Amino acid sequence: MKEIKKIYKDDSKIKFKQMKKSEKELRSLNDEIRLDKDNLAKEGIAINTLVTDGETNKVIIGIYPLTEEAKKKLLTKFNSDEVEIVEDNGEFEEARTSKYRPLQGGLNIDNIESGKGYCTHGFSANSSSWYYGITAGHCGSANDRFNQGGSYYGKGYISKNSGNVDAVAITYGQSSYSSNDNYAATDFSSWQDESEEYVVQSVCMNGSYSGVRCGEITSTYYSIRNHYDMPAADYYSQGGGSTKAYTQIENFVNSFNLSPVTW
């Protein structure tokens, strides 16, 4: 702790938290539970999701249905101080496919051109008087048209799916579609520079299929296929949610020359 404090001039901003389990130990427990899923299913316990959560220092077990009997069995089988039992059917929330104007982070969007209907509206961004909706670059290209809630809302303007950026900026049909709203999560109020990210920092995603998932940053310089210099986290995701690697917002800003809407 003393060595860490020496690095910073103002150590009042540093808070230490003693964890009972290391990240390695939690991942080992996650694997143990995952490998026991078939046996648990025979007992009538259907595990749909497993999340190694850095904030609570526990493995969160998502089951459906959540009954007191199932919960008791799991807490008896695994250390109650190391797991948390929640209800999760593993499916995306139907409400995320409903029409919203202005748009919100975490909503399901459809690429009209490719037929891809499993992508997520991330956030709004602007440059001068022009407003855009941002999604993952692998969800479309410039000039692709997009629907949300079964209704057209914009056309691809800039797309990049290489290096340290995986994003598409979709020009809104109307500026009123823009907002800092974030479905079922805290609204956007600021963004973090790349230099401020660090391994084991808590991070959350909001996917149209995965919902809100949280975990910890496992790497700040991750390479996968044609991407590099990307942060990666250990949250669970599926379908329209981003994979473990994601675009750091500062790299998006520098590449697209757009500012995230935080008001």
Side-chain angles (χ1 to χ4, degrees):
M1 291 169 61
K2 289 180 180 178
E3 291 301 315
I4 292 174
K5 287 182 177 181
K6 285 180 182 178
I7 299 173
Y8 301 93
K9 294 179 180 179
D10 182 7
D11 63 14
S12 66
K13 296 181 179 180
I14 304 172
K15 293 183 180 180
F16 293 94
K17 183 177 180 181
Q18 181 67 43
M19 297 295 190
K20 293 182 179 180
K21 288 289 182 179
S22 68
E23 182 182 354
K24 183 178 181 180
E25 289 172 319
L26 286 178
R27 288 188 176 191
S28 178
L29 175 59
N30 190 311
D31 290 338
E32 179 187 343
I33 299 170
R34 175 175 55 81
L35 294 173
D36 202 27
K37 283 176 65 175
D38 289 343
N39 291 327
L40 290 167
K42 293 176 182 177
E43 298 179 38
I45 302 174
I47 294 180
N48 294 308
T49 57
L50 286 170
V51 181
T52 300
D53 188 77
E55 184 69 22
T56 62
N57 200 221
K58 293 182 178 183
V59 174
I60 302 175
I61 306 174
I63 65 173
Y64 188 85
L66 175 61
T67 65
E68 285 302 317
E69 182 182 2
K71 185 175 181 179
K72 184 177 180 180
K73 283 184 179 180
L74 288 172
L75 292 178
T76 300
K77 189 175 185 64
F78 305 104
N79 192 325
S80 60
D81 291 333
E82 299 173 1
V83 298
E84 180 180 343
I85 318 301
V86 300
E87 187 167 67
D88 191 335
N89 63 7
E91 298 178 357
F92 72 99
E93 301 167 66
E94 290 293 337
R96 291 178 184 267
T97 63
S98 299
K99 180 180 176 181
Y100 286 87
R101 299 294 185 273
L103 278 81
Q104 303 180 24
L107 297 179
N108 179 257
I109 62 174
D110 302 315
N111 185 320
I112 299 173
E113 315 299 338
S114 67
K116 290 181 180 178
Y118 51 82
C119 289
T120 300
H121 170 74
F123 57 94
S124 296
N126 76 301
S127 175
S128 299
S129 59
W130 291 92
Y131 288 85
Y132 308 85
I134 312 303
T135 189
H138 55 262
C139 284
S141 305
N143 297 317
D144 283 358
R145 294 171 298 150
F146 289 84
N147 277 350
Q148 192 285 313
S151 179
Y152 174 77
Y153 75 92
K155 187 176 182 180
Y157 174 63
I158 309 174
S159 176
K160 184 175 181 181
N161 187 15
S162 62
N164 57 13
V165 176
D166 177 15
V168 177
I170 302 165
T171 306
Y172 285 142
Q174 299 180 35
S175 60
S176 60
Y177 290 174
S178 172
S179 79
N180 69 328
D181 296 341
N182 196 14
Y183 185 91
T186 303
D187 291 340
F188 301 113
S189 60
S190 62
W191 54 277
Q192 180 172 267
D193 291 338
E194 183 178 25
S195 61
E196 295 175 340
E197 284 192 333
Y198 55 89
V199 172
V200 308
Q201 183 179 26
S202 295
V203 62
C204 296
M205 57 86 69
N206 191 3
S208 62
Y209 277 73
S210 303
V212 178
R213 304 285 182 178
C214 298
E216 294 180 349
I217 294 177
T218 57
S219 174
T220 57
Y221 201 79
Y222 184 86
S223 296
I224 179 171
R225 294 187 290 276
N226 61 326
H227 290 285
Y228 59 87
D229 186 19
M230 301 185 85
D234 63 0
Y235 47 58
Y236 169 80
S237 63
Q238 66 182 44
S242 302
T243 55
K244 291 188 175 183
Y246 62 91
T247 301
Q248 210 288 330
I249 192 68
E250 183 180 9
N251 293 330
F252 160 79
V253 170
N254 292 336
S255 180
F256 281 40
N257 196 30
L258 297 175
S259 299
V261 173
T262 56
W263 43 264

